[in-house]
Amino acid sequence: MRTHPPFAILTLLALLAACSRQEAPPAPAAAPVVTAAAAASAPHDAPGIAWRQAASDADVDAAFADAKAANKPVFVYWGAKWCPPCNQVKATLFNRQDFIERSRAFVPVYIDGDSPGAQKLGSRFAVRGYPTMLLFNPAGAEVTRLPGEVDAAQYTQVLTLGISAQRPVKAVLAEARAGGAGLSANDWKLLAFYSWETDEQQVLPKAQSVAALRQLAQGCPADQRETSQRLLLKALTAGDAAQVKATPADRERALALLADPAAARAQMDVLTVSAADLVRVLAAPKTPQRPQLLAAFDSALKGLQADATLSRADRLTALIARVDLARIDLAKDATPALPDALLAEVREQSARLDREITDGYERQAVITSAADLLEMAGLLDESDALLKANLAKSHSPYYLMLGLAANAKKRGDTAGALNWYEASFDKSEGPATRLQWGARYLAALVDLSPQDDARIERAAQQLFTEAAGQPGAFYERSGRSLQRASDKLLAWQHTPAQRATVKRLQAQLDAACRQLPDGDSQRATCDALLKPAPKKTA
């Protein structure tokens, strides 16, 4: 359950006309009430957006051909029904009138990660995490990747920036790194608001990200303060302390940002989602700078938590960041001893969200994070109660079951944890999702009950049987799910009986692999499963 970013995924802009200090944007438009049943529908059902569903290369090619003929850009949204950040953009972005109106200017394409050909399309577009949003020019060249976590009230402004861009972000990046003399303010903004988290090394190799983003922050003109600040924050969160090598000047700039409510509001998404990462790189443990920075962050986050112009999810993320910072110097699995006042806020906020939310999309996005928050605060029983109360209200209850499994595991209830992991797999829906949930259940069995050979074999057989029946089971997310299952099984086989089990499973997989055409890129992925990696030669 704790796989999304963070909002996540998940979750998190400056005005496009200028780089001067930004005032708080208007409150988001009220979302229509959506029941849990209605929330199960895909975003193409949202009124006003003419989504083109794509489940194959032919679907995508047709959409791009129509866009070229109409001289329109293409907006590609890649998401999944269960994904909390995906539900958040449905609840706060896709139903906004300004976004709906802006969508008339492009061809909107929706790829559901569980549609038959979605994972193959994932390979085509080099996308992995949900949600990922891409913008292409009418000629079909990728212009930019849009950050799904930004404040919805400003999202269409970032989208407009991408639509009006004269060159793809990759070309803008190259010029910026060469000195940037000819770049406009909007070119620098395009770089600052690029979704570096979903880049998948299309624009920049990961190993170069810290240095490149640092270079951009230093090269951005001094009069573009917010843009430069965002680039610096992205550089500081692109690696660990040893990679980033933050300076005292970086820390002073961060403290000035946190002390300025308007400036902090403009960088809300980075400050809330990456608070702990920023503290770690800017102030080492047991130094005088650490408590100073923690206090500044807590004050700024309190302001964001109380900001009524932000969505419930964004305000909750600010509270999650406060709890995360209160635990920052504890051992990973230590039970936190949070201040009573902070615990009271956690309880009150979680209960209020459960009472107030009526939109099914928003509930899927927010309640799962509220349950995470309760768990972070050491309130496992209350986290369980919230999750159980929402199982019947969720359009994807199997996602909530992962939280219940994690809570049971944390309290040492192995049987309870495995039962919830098994139930989440049984209830999961969609081909890619079922492989992902099945691999997670199998991993839990190997980790928590390695002696239960029969149960492990049954789970693996079911997983591989389902994979054999799917046309795209060895592409992208699905392929990675199966690879994780393979790795677990290879590491598990310690006894003759277990090695015999793996041998039977390998025969099952080999039969599935033989059904794939030799020229299909899936074949290599399939053939490598349940086989030890070749030893490296000196």
Side-chain angles (χ1 to χ4, degrees):
M1 180 171 179
R2 295 156 180 86
T3 57
H4 53 279
F7 259 85
I9 157 107
L10 276 336
T11 45
L12 299 175
L13 275 175
L15 292 174
L16 303 181
C19 289
S20 57
R21 173 181 290 183
Q22 172 186 327
E23 297 182 355
V33 174
V34 181
T35 65
S41 61
H44 63 274
D45 290 331
I49 300 177
W51 290 105
R52 299 275 296 266
Q53 294 184 78
S56 67
D57 286 313
D59 294 335
V60 169
D61 291 342
F64 275 85
D66 290 346
K68 185 175 182 179
N71 195 31
K72 287 184 175 182
V74 177
F75 175 88
V76 174
Y77 166 71
W78 155 272
K81 172 183 169 181
W82 52 265
C83 152
C86 303
N87 281 270
Q88 176 66 8
V89 297
K90 296 175 195 176
T92 61
L93 176 62
F94 292 161
N95 59 358
R96 288 181 59 88
Q97 193 57 40
D98 54 356
F99 183 86
I100 293 170
E101 291 174 0
R102 199 70 187 93
S103 73
R104 313 289 187 242
F106 56 77
V107 175
V109 176
Y110 169 56
I111 303 174
D112 185 315
D114 278 306
S115 59
Q119 297 307 314
K120 184 178 180 182
L121 290 174
S123 295
R124 171 172 174 168
F125 290 120
V127 295
R128 290 192 171 191
Y130 303 135
T132 298
M133 288 173 272
L134 315 174
L135 188 66
F136 297 82
N137 64 24
E142 183 176 321
V143 175
T144 191
R145 298 190 172 208
L146 298 158
E149 68 277 7
V150 297
D151 179 16
Q154 302 173 50
Y155 188 94
T156 50
Q157 298 173 27
V158 179
L159 177 63
T160 298
L161 175 66
I163 290 174
S164 61
Q166 299 300 307
R167 294 170 296 168
V169 70
K170 190 169 186 176
V172 177
L173 174 64
E175 185 167 338
R177 299 188 73 183
L183 296 185
S184 68
N186 279 350
D187 286 330
W188 286 105
K189 286 179 184 290
L190 189 71
L191 294 170
F193 293 111
Y194 180 70
S195 180
W196 298 102
E197 294 76 12
T198 62
D199 177 48
E200 301 299 341
Q201 304 192 87
Q202 298 305 291
V203 169
L204 187 67
K206 186 171 180 59
Q208 298 178 20
S209 58
V210 172
L213 288 166
R214 168 76 73 173
Q215 181 185 7
L216 294 178
Q218 294 170 342
C220 185
D223 62 344
Q224 298 178 38
R225 182 181 174 187
E226 285 185 9
T227 302
S228 174
Q229 183 72 71
R230 187 175 183 88
L231 287 166
L232 176 60
L233 291 174
K234 290 295 182 181
L236 293 173
T237 56
D240 60 26
Q243 295 167 317
V244 171
K245 298 177 183 176
T247 67
D250 294 334
R251 184 169 55 252
E252 291 306 313
R253 192 168 177 187
L255 288 168
L257 167 66
L258 294 168
D260 184 339
R265 175 63 173 79
Q267 310 294 349
M268 172 275 304
D269 56 315
V270 186
L271 294 179
T272 55
V273 172
S274 302
D277 291 336
L278 286 165
V279 169
R280 289 188 183 98
V281 301
L282 290 169
K286 300 179 181 180
T287 62
Q289 292 79 21
R290 186 84 152 203
Q292 178 191 21
L293 191 59
L294 286 170
F297 253 109
D298 193 61
S299 178
L301 291 168
K302 282 181 180 177
L304 295 172
Q305 186 184 329
D307 189 338
T309 69
L310 291 173
S311 69
R312 290 185 181 95
D314 289 328
R315 282 177 275 159
L316 178 64
T317 306
L319 179 55
I320 290 172
R322 291 180 61 206
V323 172
D324 203 18
L325 291 178
R327 304 167 68 247
I328 191 168
D329 291 321
L330 297 177
K332 183 177 180 181
D333 295 325
T335 300
L338 300 182
D340 289 343
L342 186 55
L343 275 177
E345 285 187 72
V346 169
R347 287 188 167 108
E348 188 278 331
Q349 180 94 318
S350 301
R352 180 160 49 83
L353 291 169
D354 194 28
R355 288 195 309 271
E356 293 180 356
I357 294 175
T358 57
D359 181 291
Y361 297 131
E362 185 180 19
R363 181 167 289 276
Q364 182 72 10
V366 176
I367 293 301
T368 51
S369 288
D372 276 354
L373 173 62
L374 289 165
E375 179 272 328
M376 288 171 61
L379 304 172
L380 284 177
D381 290 345
E382 292 171 57
S383 176
D384 275 0
L386 181 63
L387 290 167
K388 289 176 181 177
N390 277 274
L391 287 173
K393 301 175 185 178
S394 172
H395 59 68
S396 303
Y398 49 88
Y399 188 86
L400 279 64
M401 291 174 185
L402 292 181
L404 290 163
N407 287 349
K409 180 180 177 181
K410 187 168 185 178
R411 61 167 63 91
D413 179 6
T414 295
L418 290 177
N419 287 340
W420 279 118
Y421 279 120
E422 183 176 23
S424 70
F425 177 36
D426 288 344
K427 297 293 185 182
S428 62
E429 301 171 342
T433 293
R434 285 198 55 78
L435 295 185
Q436 185 174 342
W437 259 246
R440 186 178 281 113
Y441 168 46
L442 179 61
L445 282 171
V446 171
D447 290 341
L448 301 179
S449 188
Q451 75 287 350
D452 196 343
D453 295 10
R455 192 174 179 184
I456 289 171
E457 183 169 10
R458 285 196 304 273
Q461 284 176 337
Q462 182 177 355
L463 179 65
F464 296 150
T465 296
E466 293 196 20
Q470 295 181 21
F474 302 94
Y475 285 118
E476 287 302 322
R477 290 178 72 98
S478 294
R480 291 192 297 276
S481 295
L482 294 169
Q483 184 62 61
R484 286 191 292 271
S486 171
D487 292 344
K488 277 291 181 184
L489 289 167
L490 288 173
W492 165 72
Q493 51 177 351
H494 296 300
T495 69
Q498 290 169 350
R499 287 191 286 272
T501 295
V502 171
K503 190 172 182 179
R504 289 192 295 273
L505 293 170
Q506 183 179 343
Q508 180 186 356
L509 262 179
D510 287 345
C513 297
R514 287 193 293 271
Q515 301 304 311
L516 297 170
D518 290 337
D520 192 327
S521 61
Q522 295 184 94
R523 181 65 184 264
T525 301
C526 186
D527 284 339
L529 296 177
L530 290 185
K531 298 179 180 67
K535 293 182 179 180
K536 295 181 179 179
T537 57

